[in-house]
Amino acid sequence: PSRIRVRGIVKEYGVTRALRGVDLDVAAGEIHGLVGHNGAGKSTLMRILTGIEQPTSGTVEFDGDGAATAATSARPGDVRMAYQELSLAPDLTVAENASLSDARRLRPLRWRAQAERRIAEVLDTVFPGHGIELSRYVGELSMAERQVVEISRALCSDEPRLLILDEPTESLGVDAMRQMYAHLHVLAARGVSILLISHRMNEVLEHSDRISVLKDGATVLTADAGDVTEDD
Ligand code: ADP
Ligand code: ADP
């Protein structure tokens, strides 16, 4: 049974075919690596999985509660993302960023204290020794610290069904990277499905159960990570 089942996704922007028929299955509790060169269609696929965009045709089903036509059946909270282009507001503090919804609006006051407690908890649990003050402005943090906050914010919500991480380790230090992957394996063991997008093939192979290669808008290879070498 698939947590997400993607079939025949086509996405056209005018005459540009960003996706030409993508199939993807990610099981509950699976870490799935998605690799592909620039322009392969990774970001477009992400936007469709999160429901920000509708496909031209094809289907995305979550846990079998499917859509027969081009639509997604994700409910709010099903999918959480950590973006490569960080989604944090640099002119707000770490605590305030935790209170931002995905739509980048500050949540009502009564939620802010809770959001602040929650991100402190995630930071301390996932990245012990992070040393990031909640009162710091994100714009003053190093890139590595911002990435830690971006990932922590994605991990703050009640457990999503799918967590999408776009190049999450680009700026992370060695310790933070190790800590993040350790936590991802814990989440996966609890049944969270994780889509790990990265061009770091070695890293993807080491930490994924399965991988898919996206090329020119189509999946050209899906395999158990153990069966793939970097040359493939
Ligand atoms: P990746 O994330 O793998 O680099 P993208 O999904 O960003 O790939 O892009 C796939 C293709 O779709 C590219 O040719 C890109 O130029 C095109 N594309 C992506 N988004 C748009 C858009 N909003 N309008 C027009 N073309 C787009
Ligand atoms: P958005 O759709 O703007 O991205 P979220 O996905 O962050 O919003 O939140 C979805 C819903 O989850 C909110 O509308 C609210 O009902 C609930 N929610 C979010 N954060 C909290 C919180 N800290 N405490 C209680 N409920 C929350």
Side-chain angles (χ1 to χ4, degrees):
S2 294
R3 168 60 45 82
I4 50 168
R5 186 173 187 277
V6 172
R7 285 295 175 273
I9 292 289
V10 171
K11 179 66 183 181
E12 293 168 352
Y13 296 104
V15 294
T16 306
R17 277 204 136 185
L19 298 176
R20 296 184 293 122
V22 172
D23 296 337
L24 181 71
D25 286 278
V26 184
E30 177 184 333
I31 302 183
H32 196 104
L34 183 67
V35 296
H37 292 296
N38 260 345
K42 302 186 295 296
S43 307
T44 304
L45 181 59
M46 273 171 72
R47 290 194 298 269
I48 289 169
L49 290 176
T50 58
I52 296 170
E53 281 190 40
Q54 295 297 310
T56 304
S57 60
T59 56
V60 179
E61 292 182 6
F62 275 82
D63 284 334
D65 44 9
T69 56
T72 66
S73 48
R75 291 184 299 256
D78 277 353
V79 186
R80 300 305 299 192
M81 320 237 322
Y83 297 85
Q84 179 181 17
E85 313 285 330
L86 306 179
S87 63
L88 305 170
D91 53 338
L92 296 179
T93 66
V94 173
E96 287 164 347
N97 267 280
S99 300
L100 285 180
S101 73
D102 288 352
R104 302 194 192 193
R105 280 188 298 270
L106 267 175
R107 292 205 179 85
L109 199 53
R110 64 199 152 93
W111 284 344
R112 288 189 208 163
Q114 191 184 326
E116 191 170 335
R117 267 200 308 279
R118 186 74 186 116
I119 196 153
E121 199 177 286
V122 171
L123 281 166
D124 293 345
T125 306
V126 184
F127 300 104
H130 59 85
I132 301 170
E133 302 275 349
L134 295 184
S135 57
R136 294 278 305 280
Y137 284 93
V138 163
E140 298 173 340
L141 300 178
S142 70
M143 282 310 289
E145 289 172 325
R146 286 184 214 194
Q147 194 147 37
V148 161
V149 174
E150 173 80 13
I151 293 165
S152 298
R153 202 172 78 98
L155 298 174
C156 268
S157 62
D158 298 334
E159 275 176 22
R161 292 200 273 176
L162 176 65
L163 185 62
I164 303 180
L165 305 167
D166 189 8
E167 301 285 358
T169 62
E170 199 77 337
S171 314
L172 283 193
V174 192
D175 281 347
M177 187 186 307
R178 198 171 27 75
Q179 291 166 339
M180 182 199 77
Y181 279 118
H183 187 71
L184 294 188
H185 289 290
V186 170
L187 288 181
R190 283 193 219 142
V192 179
S193 301
I194 297 167
L195 192 60
L196 175 63
I197 300 177
S198 175
H199 64 270
R200 296 181 170 178
M201 191 64 165
N202 279 333
E203 209 180 290
V204 173
L205 288 176
E206 183 181 345
H207 293 288
S208 304
D209 302 305
R210 292 195 309 143
I211 68 152
S212 289
V213 179
L214 204 59
K215 191 180 179 195
D216 298 332
T219 19
V220 291
L221 172 75
T222 294
D224 288 343
D227 296 341
V228 181
T229 63
E230 209 181 339
D231 302 332
D232 284 332

